[in-house]
Amino acid sequence: MHADVVVYNIGTLLTPNQVPPLKGFQMSKLLEIKNAYLAVKNGKILAFGSGDYSNYVAKRTHLYNAKGRILIPGLIDSHTHLIHAGSRENEFSQKIKGVPYLEILKQGGGILSTVNATRAASYLDLFTKAMKSIEEMLLFGVTTVEAKSGYGLNLETEIKQLEVAKELNNNQPVDIVSTYLGAHATPLEFKGNKKGYINELKHDMKIIKEKELAKFVDVFCEDSVFNLDESREILIAAKNEGFDLKIHADEIVSLGGGGLAVELEAKSADHLMAASEEDISRLANSNVVANLLPSTSFYLNKDYAKARRMIDAGCAISISSDYNPGSSPSENLQFSMQLAANKLRMTPNEILNAVTINAAYNLGIDQNTGSIEVGKQADFVIMDSTNLDYIFYHFGINHTNDVFKDGILVVKDKTLY
Ligand code: NIG
Ligand code: FE
């Protein structure tokens, strides 16, 4: 069959090739094909391999020379707080002086200051800012992004955020998967009445479901935010409404959010910097993905998650940016990947599996994306390197040269195309 696009002269094509979630030692394995080609038809992967590709080429086939570089699946950022207004550099000097993240939140800053800005922002302002971030992410080679609400903390603004996500999904190449995070903090109007706010959340999630605005519900399970029992109550209600679940778990204080994720069969438990040994074993004995966010450890000057321990125990790991205005103000997933290497001591192969197939699995989209496989979406990236190690070794810069999304060239020579 003739292809719409054939990428040829790929130095090495690297892709996950096992059934997800990849757990423990499985994460160190990738399929590597030298001198490869990849053929695309109707936005899907038609064929790939090494050697002769002339069967796929017809008069109208677009031939693209990868110039001996590596080709990898499109990166998947499976934890971001993409849609919000404003920024928090006004808290930066407090942060540098060592005022703790949760202390700034208690003083009404932190998440709550972004809530004020997001409530006040127009739909267009939110859309424009998020579009700018999405373009940045795409330039880094990210072809799918999970986006959480959680800066409205009232139905009207949460819906505004989720509608922006939906419109963004329809108006640019990157796929966006939405998560309702009404349980990100208790808004000031419910101060002293968390029970009331939880009831409100249970009501609001029904409306979000009716409007089909989110696939996941997430909770910030943390000391002085939502405790374990409150998180359980919110997540059980969400599960009963038909949502898939995610949890901000054991980010700062070890509360047992990782174990709760296993108990409720969440798709992922995220952060886990303070996860207990017991919760690590529970995660290892489940298919819940440990979604680690090393840029947040870097930015909050906190411990890094015990990734090596988790891999030895047999956990499935994904890596995400946690892009948000407070604890990780950076769209750069490659930086998170470099921290995963240098600080989490994960190998390049493990990290590539973590940001592709395991991320796709935790978003429930691994049937369509997350690896180079015939029939999957033709989402792939040509990196400006002839080997995988180099992109971890040479840190802080963008190594993405070209991006194809659904078979269409969207970044060419490091520029949006
Ligand atoms: O993942 N932990 C909760 N939420 C974000 C931070 C959000 C914010 O500070 O605005 C996080 O770290
Ligand atoms: Fe987060």
Side-chain angles (χ1 to χ4, degrees):
M1 199 201 277
H2 294 158
D4 300 329
V5 180
V6 172
V7 180
Y8 68 103
N9 197 11
I10 301 165
T12 310
L13 181 154
L14 294 137
T15 180
N17 73 334
Q18 302 167 85
V19 178
L22 306 198
K23 299 176 70 175
F25 67 88
Q26 284 188 304
M27 290 187 65
S28 59
K29 200 174 149 258
L30 291 172
L31 174 66
E32 287 188 25
I33 305 174
K34 301 260 180 224
N35 301 317
Y37 68 83
L38 191 160
V40 174
K41 180 88 183 166
N42 296 330
K44 303 268 194 293
I45 296 168
L46 173 66
F48 63 97
S50 62
D52 185 20
Y53 52 85
S54 57
N55 273 346
Y56 301 106
V57 181
K59 197 175 170 64
R60 284 201 178 75
T61 303
H62 172 209
L63 282 170
Y64 199 80
N65 186 351
K67 300 183 182 159
R69 294 173 166 129
I70 57 170
L71 181 147
I72 61 176
L75 305 177
I76 298 177
D77 196 342
S78 63
H79 181 139
T80 85
H81 303 252
L82 174 70
I83 294 144
H84 59 264
S87 52
R88 308 224 290 268
E89 65 274 25
N90 58 317
E91 291 167 2
F92 192 63
S93 62
Q94 269 183 296
K95 176 189 125 63
I96 288 173
K97 284 183 195 133
V99 182
Y101 176 82
L102 290 177
E103 188 51 44
I104 296 176
L105 178 61
K106 269 188 204 149
Q107 292 167 8
I111 294 173
L112 294 175
S113 83
T114 301
V115 167
N116 288 337
T118 305
R119 286 180 179 180
S122 72
Y123 183 91
L124 186 63
D125 286 345
L126 285 181
F127 184 87
T128 309
K129 180 173 164 69
M131 180 67 104
K132 201 170 160 212
S133 289
I134 267 288
E135 287 179 355
E136 199 67 53
M137 290 171 170
L138 181 58
L139 285 165
F140 280 111
V142 173
T143 50
T144 301
V145 171
E146 183 260 12
K148 301 175 196 299
S149 65
Y151 292 114
L153 309 185
N154 62 29
L155 184 59
E156 184 194 338
T157 312
E158 293 286 319
I159 286 180
K160 181 169 70 174
Q161 282 187 277
L162 293 168
E163 282 179 342
V164 166
K166 189 170 177 177
E167 192 175 339
L168 261 181
N169 184 46
N170 295 332
N171 283 282
Q172 51 72 48
V174 177
D175 289 329
I176 297 181
V177 180
S178 290
T179 296
Y180 171 53
L181 179 58
H184 199 191
T186 302
L188 288 179
E189 57 275 22
F190 280 90
K191 202 169 179 178
N193 179 19
K194 211 192 277 179
K195 196 110 212 78
Y197 186 55
I198 292 173
N199 286 334
E200 186 88 352
L201 287 172
K202 288 188 194 164
H203 166 266
D204 291 358
M205 65 174 74
K206 289 189 204 300
I207 295 166
I208 307 281
K209 188 75 199 175
E210 272 164 30
K211 291 181 174 283
E212 296 181 13
L213 281 172
K215 175 170 179 176
F216 291 95
V217 165
D218 191 346
V219 174
F220 189 13
C221 177
E222 185 57 67
D223 195 25
S224 67
V225 189
F226 294 96
N227 68 28
L228 204 62
D229 287 338
E230 291 159 349
S231 300
R232 183 184 285 108
E233 182 180 347
I234 295 162
L235 290 170
I236 287 177
K239 198 169 180 174
N240 290 339
E241 290 300 329
F243 288 101
D244 285 332
L245 308 180
K246 295 187 162 289
I247 308 183
H248 279 69
D250 306 317
E251 176 177 353
I252 299 165
V253 179
S254 180
L255 290 188
L260 181 62
V262 175
E263 177 188 323
L264 300 178
E265 297 175 313
K267 284 293 206 174
S268 66
D270 300 46
H271 286 291
L272 300 172
M273 287 127 81
S276 67
E277 190 56 36
E278 190 193 332
D279 276 5
I280 292 176
S281 339
R282 290 185 72 184
L283 286 164
N285 288 312
S286 77
N287 282 342
V288 179
V289 177
N291 196 7
L292 308 184
L293 317 170
S295 296
T296 308
S297 302
F298 169 82
Y299 199 74
L300 295 182
N301 284 311
K302 290 276 172 200
D303 290 341
Y304 288 84
K306 298 187 192 78
R308 283 265 57 97
R309 174 69 203 110
M310 291 175 185
I311 291 174
D312 287 346
C315 291
I317 292 181
S318 54
I319 300 286
S320 303
S321 71
D322 195 20
Y323 168 60
N324 75 72
S327 65
S328 182
S330 170
E331 291 91 342
N332 185 346
L333 180 61
Q334 285 182 38
F335 181 61
S336 313
M337 292 161 64
Q338 287 146 3
L339 288 172
N342 221 34
K343 297 293 185 185
L344 303 185
R345 302 272 160 201
M346 290 173 69
T347 65
N349 281 12
E350 288 169 343
I351 297 164
L352 190 60
N353 278 315
V355 291
T356 55
I357 195 68
N358 274 3
Y361 179 83
N362 92 42
L363 293 179
I365 53 173
D366 51 293
Q367 295 296 324
N368 302 323
T369 187
S371 63
I372 306 294
E373 203 177 314
V374 171
K376 279 193 173 181
Q377 286 168 202
D379 300 350
F380 56 87
V381 180
I382 299 167
M383 301 301 262
D384 187 12
S385 169
T386 53
N387 67 77
L388 187 63
D389 286 0
Y390 183 75
I391 69 173
F392 296 93
Y393 151 80
H394 186 166
F395 79 98
I397 69 150
N398 183 6
H399 292 281
T400 294
N401 203 77
D402 313 279
V403 182
F404 284 80
K405 178 72 185 85
D406 296 309
I408 294 170
L409 182 64
V410 288
V411 173
K412 184 176 190 306
D413 290 328
K414 299 182 182 284
T415 327
L416 293 175
Y417 187 63

